[in-house]
Each structure stands twice: as structure tokens, then as C-alpha cells.
Amino acid sequence: MRLTTKGRFAVTAMIDLALRQHAGPVTLAGISERQKISLSYLEQLFGKLRRRQLVSSVRGPGGGYCLAKPLEAVSVSDIIHAVDESLDATNCGGKGNCAEDQRPCMTHELWTSLNEKMFEYLNSVSLAELVAQQRERTGTAAVLHDERPLRRVRRPAEELVAA
């Protein structure tokens, strides 16, 4: 039993999106660069997230992705299920045909209970909580600051004055 990169990357990308959407749609290229996740992989994940109506896309210049629901309404389990990730500790996929005689194995109930607890926990953690934790951890109140060096753009009026 383990959470694959698909689920991990989807949750990470959704936190990144939630942290930055206040400034408008967030590009997948930006998420890819910040989180070191392949752009083509993010495109696949966000296609699934969009189909599950967790994100919406904006086309054209200045386009990107925005959350389609409030932060509080999106749970970690919503994100993981949206990208077709399943967390299952059983050997039989929950079917109960673990043993050679197609009956549940001796530990089937143990692993089934673990599955239920994992789902309950992941369903109880909202994207809003993860964003708040990230802001607290990085010391940012509400807005992340762009750390890129500023470029001065010379305007035509400035060129006339300078000449």
C-alpha cells in the first residue's frame, strides 16, 4: 500500500494553485517550474481534475487554471480520487477473495478497516487546511511574493525625456 506520485503530485499542484490563484489563473508551466513536476504530467492530472470539476480552465493570453470550488469544499480524498488514485491496503482490491479458496484472508478485516480510516482522514483534510499550513510554514500571510528580479520597461515618454 502506498500513495503513488500521481496522487502526491495532484495534491501538491492543487496547493500551489490555491496559493497563487488570487492573482488570476495559474499556468501549468508555472506550477511545473516551482514544483519540479513534468508539464506533460501536470496536463494529464489537470485534465482529470477539470473533468471532476475541481478546477476550471481559462483559455487565451493570461489563461491558466483556477479552483472551481471554495478551498474548504475540496478534500484531499477528492483530489486523489479525481486523478484515479486508489488507496487500498488489501491484497484483493477489497473484493474479499484473498485466500486460495476465494474467501477473505485472515487479515482482510484489518486491511479493510485501515482503508476506511485512511479515507476518513483524507476526507477530513481540506485544501484550505493545507494552504493555511503552507502559509504558516513559509511565513506568508496571504500572498506569496514573486522573487524574480524586476525588469524596468522603458516607456516612449521616458525615451523622449532621456534623449
Side-chain angles (χ1 to χ4, degrees), residues 71-104:
L71 291 173
E72 299 77 19
V74 179
S75 72
V76 173
S77 68
D78 293 335
I79 298 167
I80 290 171
H81 288 304
V83 296
D84 300 326
E85 183 74 15
S86 64
L87 295 175
D88 187 6
T90 64
N91 243 358
C92 62
K95 296 177 183 154
N97 58 355
C98 329
E100 289 179 19
D101 61 359
Q102 299 299 306
R103 296 176 134 195

Short mmCIF file of all heavy atoms in Angstrom, two decimals, residues 71-104:
data_model
loop_
_atom_site.label_atom_id
_atom_site.label_comp_id
_atom_site.label_asym_id
_atom_site.label_seq_id
_atom_site.Cartn_x
_atom_site.Cartn_y
_atom_site.Cartn_z
N LEU A 71 -11.91 26.57 -1.30
CA LEU A 71 -10.87 25.74 -0.68
C LEU A 71 -11.43 24.77 0.36
O LEU A 71 -10.99 23.63 0.45
CB LEU A 71 -9.84 26.64 0.02
CG LEU A 71 -8.94 27.50 -0.85
CD1 LEU A 71 -8.12 28.43 0.04
CD2 LEU A 71 -8.06 26.65 -1.69
N GLU A 72 -12.39 25.25 1.13
CA GLU A 72 -12.95 24.45 2.21
C GLU A 72 -13.76 23.26 1.68
O GLU A 72 -13.99 22.29 2.39
CB GLU A 72 -13.86 25.30 3.11
CG GLU A 72 -13.16 26.44 3.81
CD GLU A 72 -12.91 27.65 2.88
OE1 GLU A 72 -13.56 27.78 1.82
OE2 GLU A 72 -12.04 28.46 3.23
N ALA A 73 -14.21 23.36 0.44
CA ALA A 73 -15.07 22.32 -0.13
C ALA A 73 -14.29 21.22 -0.85
O ALA A 73 -14.88 20.27 -1.35
CB ALA A 73 -16.06 22.95 -1.11
N VAL A 74 -12.96 21.34 -0.90
CA VAL A 74 -12.13 20.34 -1.59
C VAL A 74 -11.30 19.58 -0.56
O VAL A 74 -10.51 20.18 0.17
CB VAL A 74 -11.20 21.02 -2.62
CG1 VAL A 74 -10.33 19.98 -3.31
CG2 VAL A 74 -11.99 21.83 -3.63
N SER A 75 -11.49 18.27 -0.49
CA SER A 75 -10.72 17.45 0.44
C SER A 75 -9.58 16.76 -0.31
O SER A 75 -9.60 16.65 -1.54
CB SER A 75 -11.61 16.40 1.11
OG SER A 75 -11.97 15.40 0.18
N VAL A 76 -8.62 16.28 0.45
CA VAL A 76 -7.51 15.54 -0.15
C VAL A 76 -8.04 14.30 -0.86
O VAL A 76 -7.59 13.96 -1.95
CB VAL A 76 -6.46 15.17 0.92
CG1 VAL A 76 -5.38 14.25 0.35
CG2 VAL A 76 -5.82 16.43 1.50
N SER A 77 -9.03 13.64 -0.28
CA SER A 77 -9.58 12.45 -0.93
C SER A 77 -10.26 12.81 -2.25
O SER A 77 -10.18 12.04 -3.21
CB SER A 77 -10.55 11.70 -0.01
OG SER A 77 -11.71 12.44 0.22
N ASP A 78 -10.88 14.00 -2.35
CA ASP A 78 -11.46 14.44 -3.63
C ASP A 78 -10.38 14.52 -4.70
O ASP A 78 -10.59 14.10 -5.84
CB ASP A 78 -12.10 15.83 -3.49
CG ASP A 78 -13.33 15.87 -2.61
OD1 ASP A 78 -13.99 14.82 -2.46
OD2 ASP A 78 -13.62 16.95 -2.07
N ILE A 79 -9.25 15.09 -4.34
CA ILE A 79 -8.15 15.27 -5.29
C ILE A 79 -7.59 13.91 -5.71
O ILE A 79 -7.40 13.64 -6.91
CB ILE A 79 -7.04 16.14 -4.68
CG1 ILE A 79 -7.56 17.54 -4.36
CG2 ILE A 79 -5.83 16.22 -5.61
CD1 ILE A 79 -6.65 18.37 -3.47
N ILE A 80 -7.35 13.05 -4.75
CA ILE A 80 -6.77 11.74 -5.05
C ILE A 80 -7.71 10.90 -5.91
O ILE A 80 -7.29 10.29 -6.90
CB ILE A 80 -6.40 11.00 -3.74
CG1 ILE A 80 -5.21 11.72 -3.09
CG2 ILE A 80 -6.07 9.54 -4.00
CD1 ILE A 80 -4.86 11.25 -1.70
N HIS A 81 -8.99 10.91 -5.59
CA HIS A 81 -9.96 10.16 -6.40
C HIS A 81 -10.13 10.77 -7.78
O HIS A 81 -10.36 10.04 -8.75
CB HIS A 81 -11.31 10.06 -5.69
CG HIS A 81 -11.29 9.14 -4.51
ND1 HIS A 81 -10.90 7.83 -4.58
CD2 HIS A 81 -11.58 9.35 -3.22
CE1 HIS A 81 -10.97 7.28 -3.40
NE2 HIS A 81 -11.38 8.18 -2.53
N ALA A 82 -10.00 12.07 -7.90
CA ALA A 82 -10.15 12.73 -9.20
C ALA A 82 -9.09 12.27 -10.20
O ALA A 82 -9.35 12.20 -11.40
CB ALA A 82 -10.09 14.25 -9.04
N VAL A 83 -7.90 11.96 -9.71
CA VAL A 83 -6.83 11.52 -10.61
C VAL A 83 -6.75 9.99 -10.68
O VAL A 83 -5.73 9.42 -11.05
CB VAL A 83 -5.46 12.14 -10.25
CG1 VAL A 83 -5.50 13.64 -10.42
CG2 VAL A 83 -5.01 11.76 -8.85
N ASP A 84 -7.86 9.33 -10.31
CA ASP A 84 -7.98 7.88 -10.40
C ASP A 84 -7.00 7.13 -9.52
O ASP A 84 -6.56 6.04 -9.86
CB ASP A 84 -7.80 7.40 -11.86
CG ASP A 84 -8.83 8.01 -12.79
OD1 ASP A 84 -9.97 8.23 -12.33
OD2 ASP A 84 -8.50 8.26 -13.96
N GLU A 85 -6.68 7.73 -8.42
CA GLU A 85 -5.77 7.09 -7.48
C GLU A 85 -6.61 6.36 -6.45
O GLU A 85 -7.57 6.90 -5.92
CB GLU A 85 -4.92 8.16 -6.79
CG GLU A 85 -3.90 7.65 -5.84
CD GLU A 85 -2.72 7.02 -6.53
OE1 GLU A 85 -2.55 7.22 -7.74
OE2 GLU A 85 -1.98 6.31 -5.85
N SER A 86 -6.24 5.12 -6.16
CA SER A 86 -6.96 4.42 -5.11
C SER A 86 -5.96 3.98 -4.05
O SER A 86 -4.87 3.54 -4.37
CB SER A 86 -7.70 3.20 -5.67
OG SER A 86 -6.78 2.26 -6.17
N LEU A 87 -6.35 4.17 -2.83
CA LEU A 87 -5.54 3.72 -1.70
C LEU A 87 -6.20 2.47 -1.16
O LEU A 87 -7.33 2.53 -0.67
CB LEU A 87 -5.47 4.80 -0.63
CG LEU A 87 -4.77 6.09 -1.02
CD1 LEU A 87 -4.90 7.11 0.09
CD2 LEU A 87 -3.32 5.82 -1.32
N ASP A 88 -5.53 1.36 -1.29
CA ASP A 88 -6.11 0.11 -0.85
C ASP A 88 -5.05 -0.75 -0.20
O ASP A 88 -4.06 -1.12 -0.84
CB ASP A 88 -6.73 -0.63 -2.04
CG ASP A 88 -7.51 -1.86 -1.63
OD1 ASP A 88 -7.68 -2.10 -0.41
OD2 ASP A 88 -7.94 -2.59 -2.53
N ALA A 89 -5.23 -1.06 1.07
CA ALA A 89 -4.26 -1.87 1.80
C ALA A 89 -4.52 -3.37 1.64
O ALA A 89 -3.68 -4.17 2.02
CB ALA A 89 -4.31 -1.50 3.28
N THR A 90 -5.66 -3.74 1.06
CA THR A 90 -5.95 -5.16 0.91
C THR A 90 -5.20 -5.73 -0.28
O THR A 90 -4.82 -5.01 -1.20
CB THR A 90 -7.46 -5.43 0.73
OG1 THR A 90 -7.88 -4.84 -0.51
CG2 THR A 90 -8.27 -4.87 1.87
N ASN A 91 -5.03 -7.03 -0.27
CA ASN A 91 -4.38 -7.73 -1.38
C ASN A 91 -5.36 -8.02 -2.51
O ASN A 91 -4.97 -8.29 -3.62
CB ASN A 91 -3.78 -9.05 -0.89
CG ASN A 91 -2.30 -9.10 -1.03
OD1 ASN A 91 -1.68 -8.16 -1.53
ND2 ASN A 91 -1.71 -10.19 -0.58
N CYS A 92 -6.64 -7.97 -2.18
CA CYS A 92 -7.67 -8.40 -3.12
C CYS A 92 -8.43 -7.24 -3.76
O CYS A 92 -9.43 -7.47 -4.44
CB CYS A 92 -8.66 -9.30 -2.39
SG CYS A 92 -9.51 -8.45 -1.04
N GLY A 93 -7.99 -6.02 -3.51
CA GLY A 93 -8.73 -4.88 -4.03
C GLY A 93 -10.06 -4.68 -3.34
O GLY A 93 -10.98 -4.08 -3.92
N GLY A 94 -10.18 -5.19 -2.12
CA GLY A 94 -11.41 -5.03 -1.35
C GLY A 94 -12.49 -6.03 -1.68
O GLY A 94 -13.59 -5.97 -1.13
N LYS A 95 -12.22 -6.98 -2.57
CA LYS A 95 -13.24 -7.94 -3.01
C LYS A 95 -13.46 -9.09 -2.03
O LYS A 95 -14.47 -9.76 -2.10
CB LYS A 95 -12.86 -8.50 -4.39
CG LYS A 95 -12.86 -7.44 -5.46
CD LYS A 95 -12.42 -8.01 -6.78
CE LYS A 95 -12.35 -6.89 -7.81
NZ LYS A 95 -11.41 -7.18 -8.86
N GLY A 96 -12.49 -9.34 -1.16
CA GLY A 96 -12.66 -10.40 -0.18
C GLY A 96 -12.31 -11.79 -0.70
O GLY A 96 -12.65 -12.79 -0.07
N ASN A 97 -11.66 -11.86 -1.84
CA ASN A 97 -11.27 -13.16 -2.38
C ASN A 97 -9.74 -13.34 -2.30
O ASN A 97 -9.10 -13.77 -3.24
CB ASN A 97 -11.74 -13.31 -3.83
CG ASN A 97 -11.19 -12.21 -4.72
OD1 ASN A 97 -10.53 -11.28 -4.27
ND2 ASN A 97 -11.47 -12.32 -6.01
N CYS A 98 -9.19 -13.05 -1.13
CA CYS A 98 -7.74 -13.02 -0.93
C CYS A 98 -7.12 -14.41 -0.86
O CYS A 98 -6.03 -14.62 -1.36
CB CYS A 98 -7.38 -12.29 0.37
SG CYS A 98 -8.49 -11.00 0.86
N ALA A 99 -7.77 -15.32 -0.20
CA ALA A 99 -7.21 -16.64 0.02
C ALA A 99 -7.40 -17.52 -1.21
O ALA A 99 -8.19 -17.21 -2.10
CB ALA A 99 -7.87 -17.28 1.25
N GLU A 100 -6.69 -18.64 -1.22
CA GLU A 100 -6.77 -19.56 -2.36
C GLU A 100 -8.18 -20.07 -2.60
O GLU A 100 -8.56 -20.35 -3.72
CB GLU A 100 -5.81 -20.73 -2.14
CG GLU A 100 -4.37 -20.33 -2.26
CD GLU A 100 -3.43 -21.50 -2.02
OE1 GLU A 100 -3.86 -22.66 -2.13
OE2 GLU A 100 -2.27 -21.22 -1.72
N ASP A 101 -8.96 -20.19 -1.54
CA ASP A 101 -10.34 -20.69 -1.69
C ASP A 101 -11.33 -19.56 -1.99
O ASP A 101 -12.53 -19.72 -1.83
CB ASP A 101 -10.76 -21.48 -0.46
CG ASP A 101 -10.74 -20.64 0.81
OD1 ASP A 101 -10.38 -19.44 0.74
OD2 ASP A 101 -11.08 -21.18 1.88
N GLN A 102 -10.81 -18.40 -2.41
CA GLN A 102 -11.61 -17.24 -2.79
C GLN A 102 -12.39 -16.63 -1.63
O GLN A 102 -13.37 -15.94 -1.83
CB GLN A 102 -12.57 -17.58 -3.94
CG GLN A 102 -11.87 -18.01 -5.21
CD GLN A 102 -10.96 -16.92 -5.77
OE1 GLN A 102 -11.39 -15.81 -6.00
NE2 GLN A 102 -9.68 -17.23 -5.97
N ARG A 103 -11.95 -16.89 -0.42
CA ARG A 103 -12.56 -16.31 0.77
C ARG A 103 -11.64 -15.22 1.28
O ARG A 103 -10.47 -15.15 0.92
CB ARG A 103 -12.72 -17.37 1.85
CG ARG A 103 -13.66 -18.46 1.45
CD ARG A 103 -13.69 -19.50 2.50
NE ARG A 103 -15.08 -19.84 2.76
CZ ARG A 103 -15.48 -20.50 3.80
NH1 ARG A 103 -14.63 -20.90 4.71
NH2 ARG A 103 -16.74 -20.79 3.96
N PRO A 104 -12.16 -14.38 2.16
CA PRO A 104 -11.29 -13.36 2.75
C PRO A 104 -10.14 -13.99 3.54
O PRO A 104 -10.34 -15.02 4.21
CB PRO A 104 -12.22 -12.58 3.69
CG PRO A 104 -13.59 -12.86 3.18
CD PRO A 104 -13.55 -14.24 2.59
#
